[in-house]
């Protein structure tokens, strides 16, 4: 069912029903329980096309593919591909589909993954499209939340930072709309969630509040999901300078949190979480990077296995 539904790939979190999410979470949990190298994808090749920088997403997809016995090709600097000679994305995809069984793509344009899927015979996985979406990050975020002892239904979650340009939060709020979570959207006024994203949440009757100060509500939160201010997407340097240090989560803040509170971040982190917080068991952002492996193994196994 999942395999059939997502045979063209994973482009947007909007395609996921609660059943789809539960299914892939279960598959990822199986990957955690059976953490052994497998040969499931030994005859498969994954292409990773990264037109934007990445550490976690590219390396965890590539590591997951290797751990399932598969091979990886690709590039991780757009300027070494023939796009610099003027080749279109459509032609790049129509070429790479002949060399591989699935394509993971990160691109600076919001519609890039969708466009790639239009021209591809093989599954496309959106690994971040401009300030649009990053659906597999959101899936691994839900895996992290559930594996680390929180329940998605009834959870109080704060999502904080750059809600305008941050693609991980767009996919995360979309996935959470399938659950009965209370969402606090915490941002400077300049970086609030876009109206189109709020319209989506309202249509789904999601319970959310927009606030600018997190300290007032820290004690009610089960999870605080922080994000980086997306310097590269803010058009004006002065605008960035105004908001870059708007939030800094410090060790003292932990004193006002519940015993089972979890602090998450998709990373990279710049200055928004003080390094002194890292050693707290409540800080789970490096565990979150680990959960990228079982989730991406589950996704690759579903999309690429025979
Ligand atoms: N979380 C995330 O997308 O990290 P990278 O940019 O390092 O892939």
């Amino acid at each position: 069912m999942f395999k059939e539904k997502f045979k063209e790939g994973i482009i947007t979190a909007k395609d996921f029903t609660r059943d789809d999410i539960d299914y892939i979470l279960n598959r990822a949990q199986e990957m955690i329980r059976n953490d052994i190298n497998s040969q499931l994808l030994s005859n498969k090749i994954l292409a990773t096309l990264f037109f934007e920088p990445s550490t976690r997403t590219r390396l965890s997809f590539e590591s997951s593919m290797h751990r399932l016995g598969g091979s990886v090709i690709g590039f991780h600097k757009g300027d070494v591909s023939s796009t610099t000679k003027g080749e279109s994305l459509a032609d790049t995809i129509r070429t790479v589909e002949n060399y591989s069984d699935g394509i993971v793509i990160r691109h600076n344009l919001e519609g890039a993954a969708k466009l790639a899927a239009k021209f591809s015979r093989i599954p496309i996985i959106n690994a971040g499209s401009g300030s649009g979406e990053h659906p597999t990050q959101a899936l691994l975020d839900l895996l992290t939340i559930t594996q680390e002892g929180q329940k998605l239904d009834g959870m109080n979650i704060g999502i904080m930072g750059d809600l305008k340009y941050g693609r991980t939060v767009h996919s995360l709020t979309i996935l959470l709309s399938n659950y009965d979570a209370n969402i606090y959207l915490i941002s400077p006024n300049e970086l609030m969630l876009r109206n189109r994203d709020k319209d989506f949440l309202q249509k789904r009757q999601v319970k959310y509040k927009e606030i600018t100060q997190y300290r007032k509500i820290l004690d009610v939160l089960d999870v605080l999901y922080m994000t980086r201010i997306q310097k590269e997407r803010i058009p004006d340097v002065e605008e960035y300078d105004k908001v870059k240090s708007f939030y800094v989560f410090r060790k003292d803040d932990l004193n006002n949190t519940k015993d089972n509170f979890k602090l998450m971040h998709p990373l990279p982190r710049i200055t928004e979480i003080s390094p002194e917080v890292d050693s707290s068991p409540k800080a789970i952002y490096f565990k979150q990077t680990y959960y990228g492996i079982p989730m991406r193994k589950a996704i690759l196994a579903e999309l690429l296995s025979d």
Side-chain angles (χ1 to χ4, degrees), residues 151-267:
K151 288 200 162 43
L152 299 172
D153 284 316
M155 166 181 65
N156 291 326
I157 180 170
I159 302 179
M160 177 158 113
D162 186 346
L163 310 188
K164 182 175 182 179
Y165 297 109
R167 55 195 174 199
T168 67
V169 300
H170 300 152
S171 293
L172 181 60
T173 53
I174 293 166
L175 288 190
L176 285 174
S177 72
N178 290 284
Y179 297 86
D180 184 25
N182 302 304
I183 306 176
Y184 294 88
L185 298 171
I186 311 161
S187 69
N189 287 328
E190 296 86 344
L191 298 175
M192 287 164 74
L193 200 66
R194 300 167 301 187
N195 285 338
R196 67 181 197 208
D197 298 311
K198 283 190 278 196
D199 288 346
F200 178 85
L201 298 183
Q202 282 160 17
K203 274 192 197 125
R204 294 235 172 151
Q205 300 183 320
V206 173
K207 291 180 276 184
Y208 75 85
K209 279 197 185 110
E210 291 182 289
I211 57 175
T212 53
Q213 300 302 327
Y214 70 98
R215 292 199 168 100
K216 289 180 190 165
I217 52 123
L218 253 185
D219 59 341
V220 305
L221 294 181
D222 300 299
V223 172
L224 178 59
Y225 186 99
M226 294 194 66
T227 63
R228 173 177 72 90
I229 308 295
Q230 305 269 306
K231 182 179 183 183
E232 69 276 27
R233 305 200 199 281
I234 296 181
D236 188 316
V237 178
E238 282 179 21
E239 285 300 308
Y240 173 72
D241 285 341
K242 267 201 304 197
V243 289
K244 69 179 180 194
S245 303
F246 201 87
Y247 300 117
V248 181
F249 191 98
R250 299 188 194 286
K251 200 170 182 183
D252 287 351
D253 286 322
L254 290 169
N255 296 334
N256 301 321
T257 60
K258 292 180 181 177
D259 288 346
N260 63 347
F261 168 82
K262 306 294 180 206
L263 183 63
M264 297 176 64
H265 193 307
L267 304 180

Side-chain angles (χ1 to χ4, degrees), residues 16-17 30 46 85 87 95-96 110 120 128 133 148 167 212 214 218 230 234 242 268 287:
F16 281 78
T17 63
E30 279 169 31
L46 181 70
K85 301 177 202 161
E87 184 166 57
T95 302
V96 176
E110 271 198 46
S120 178
E133 279 209 53
E148 294 299 316
R167 55 195 174 199
T212 53
Y214 70 98
L218 253 185
Q230 305 269 306
I234 296 181
K242 267 201 304 197
K287 281 188 180 171

Side-chain angles (χ1 to χ4, degrees), residues 14 45-46 54 96 99 119 128 130 137 156 189 240 266 271-272:
K14 289 181 179 159
I45 298 174
L46 181 70
S54 169
V96 176
Y99 307 151
F119 287 96
Q137 174 70 44
N156 291 326
N189 287 328
Y240 173 72
T271 54
E272 59 276 12

